[in-house]
Amino acid sequence: MDQIQIDQLRGLSVPEQGLFIDGKTCKALKGGTRDVVSPLDGTILTRLAEAEENDIDLAVASARASFDRGSWSKAAPAERKKVMHRIADLIEKNALELAVLGVRDNGTEISMAIKAEPGSAANTFRYYGELIDKVYGEIAPTTGSVLGLIHHEPVGIVGVIVPWNFPMMIGAWKIAPALAAGNSVVVKPAEVASLTLLRLAEICSEAGLPPGVFNVVTGQGSVVGAALGLHNDVDVLAFTGSGAVGRKLLEYSARSNLKRVYLELGGKSPNIVFADAPDLDQAAKMAAYGIFRNSGQVCVAGSRLLVERAIHGDFARKVTEFASKMRLGDPLDLNTEAGAIVSGDQLSKNLEFVTRAKAEGASLLTGGTRIREETGGFFMAPTVFDQVAPDSVIAQEEVFGPVLAITPFEDEAAAVRIANSTIYGLASGVWTSNLSRAHRMVRAIRAGVVHVNTYGGPDITVPLGGVGQSGNGHDKSPHALEKFLNLKSAWIQL
Ligand code: NAD
């Protein structure tokens, strides 16, 4: 990939996008459409079909019909594996086109998007394709007169609802294991980042996935997402997004067919730096990158930086220096290190948090403003607040933007207390050379992921999931398959 290739793709016109149902592109039944605004310059990139409840009915019916036909659900796992590999190959073949399209849609810097979006999605399809013909049933240790068999069966119809950050990567974390397990899937992408998942649907079809097995329905969350959540023929809902919507999905399940609901929600992840960290410069750089890449629109972003009092002043200066030196600019420039904010609305929300943090007495070290306004796009300077009180809004609520809150702490016990003082429990980081302390912290921090002397890890082999109000269930790793399989027990009298 080089800049010339990216520049050739950046100005291509994007045709109007339909829904993808039953193996083909179609208009919304009522003909609705919406504009897609690019966060890079505020211009209209294309138009998108705006579905309603009856489009979801159609997509779910098509998914159910494909499931009942059995050409995918009953196919030998080795056959499904071949198609999953072809999907991965086609994603790779179209990687640059997908990455550029995604950046124009949601603003992630291309250097990150190319690896995190098509790169990670291809890897995920290959991983679950490779895994599925190694899943065995079990024989239970019953008394000798019976045979107790445990089968794994696909759950049926999986509804997938995806947020706007990393739609291909996060989408693939759910879609790939759901498909590998033999299910049919209906995906509802975020309003402001639908284009790459629509393209993925075409790729899946080209790779040989039978019609109806993978459908994408675009539209408003409160209409299309709600219709999927309330549908009586959806068996499992796999969601990544905010806690507010997660709560609604649990309610929809209770009001409809008690479908299983898996939630990957937000975080306010603590990154904890002790004075004995092995390399304070590296820790400061990773602390800045851990919050400011993709302009903070990363669920596991280390948005709270807890620093031991003895090194607090120097360390805050170092992090601020790294933050101020980050290369901001055109998200389609390979040198850019932090891209756009997804929408004007999200930018306004971020700036409101800045106002509230100032009002609460936090000290602004850098940033706090909109930048590059002349482009017409939505950009915000990496923002660092120091002396943040652990119970203040900026330390408790997820911003989902480029805002870092620094809080000094006195000792290990205080670090644990502050780290565990939010409703969330997604990710965390610990920087120390003390092996015993590292292990104590891994046990003491209430979070689904603890990084030690690093921050962030893209490897598909390790599960990602939260505790507390960061959700339930896991994406990635063999464990993700469990969400999309039912156990069936058979008693056979001998
Ligand atoms: P969001 O909750 O606003 O939207 C997520 C999806 O839900 C979108 O597709 C949206 O259209 C849909 N939706 C909205 N209202 C709905 C309703 N009433 N019923 C059904 N669906 C509805 O989240 P977002 O702003 O797109 O994404 C940011 C959030 O996602 C942040 O909280 C972030 O932390 C979280 N996130 C979590 C992870 C993780 O793995 N834990 C990863 C990425 C993002």
Side-chain angles (χ1 to χ4, degrees), residues 271 273 277 279-292 305 314-323 404 431:
N271 192 13
V273 184
D279 179 344
L280 285 170
D281 286 332
Q282 176 66 5
K285 185 174 173 189
M286 294 294 279
Y289 277 50
I291 174 71
F292 297 126
L305 182 59
D314 277 352
F315 196 80
R317 260 189 301 283
K318 274 190 218 287
V319 174
T320 306
E321 219 176 287
F322 277 115
L404 179 65
W431 297 80

Side-chain angles (χ1 to χ4, degrees), residues 371-386:
I371 53 169
R372 305 189 74 240
E373 203 167 343
E374 68 288 356
T375 61
F378 314 122
F379 296 89
M380 182 170 167
T383 299
V384 180
F385 279 105
D386 195 9

Side-chain angles (χ1 to χ4, degrees), residues 139-320:
I139 297 178
T142 54
T143 60
S145 59
V146 290
L147 183 60
L149 297 177
I150 303 168
H151 295 263
H152 298 287
E153 292 191 332
V155 294
I157 309 306
V158 175
V160 172
I161 304 181
V162 183
W164 41 261
N165 62 324
F166 308 115
M168 278 201 88
M169 175 177 81
I170 290 173
W173 286 347
K174 300 171 196 308
I175 296 162
L179 289 177
N183 300 288
S184 291
V185 174
V186 178
V187 178
K188 161 34 198 132
E191 292 86 329
V192 287
S194 300
L195 301 182
T196 50
L197 287 171
L198 285 164
R199 186 72 189 95
L200 178 66
E202 291 171 355
I203 285 175
C204 289
S205 184
E206 199 184 328
L209 204 63
V213 175
F214 182 47
N215 309 275
V216 180
V217 182
T218 53
Q220 220 165 303
S222 56
V223 178
V224 176
L228 194 57
L230 284 163
H231 206 291
N232 279 314
D233 208 18
V234 171
D235 300 291
V236 163
L237 210 53
F239 171 75
T240 294
S242 63
V245 175
R247 256 171 229 280
K248 287 189 183 161
L249 298 182
L250 292 171
E251 224 182 285
Y252 297 157
S253 167
R255 278 166 51 198
S256 56
N257 62 341
L258 296 177
K259 57 181 71 63
R260 294 209 298 261
V261 180
Y262 294 103
L263 304 173
E264 301 287 337
L265 307 175
K268 193 77 196 177
S269 300
N271 192 13
I272 306 164
V273 184
F274 287 95
D276 65 2
D279 179 344
L280 285 170
D281 286 332
Q282 176 66 5
K285 185 174 173 189
M286 294 294 279
Y289 277 50
I291 174 71
F292 297 126
R293 291 305 302 267
N294 198 24
S295 287
Q297 300 159 115
V298 177
C299 57
V300 295
S303 51
R304 289 186 293 151
L305 182 59
L306 313 185
V307 186
E308 190 164 0
R309 178 84 65 193
I311 56 162
H312 160 255
D314 277 352
F315 196 80
R317 260 189 301 283
K318 274 190 218 287
V319 174
T320 306

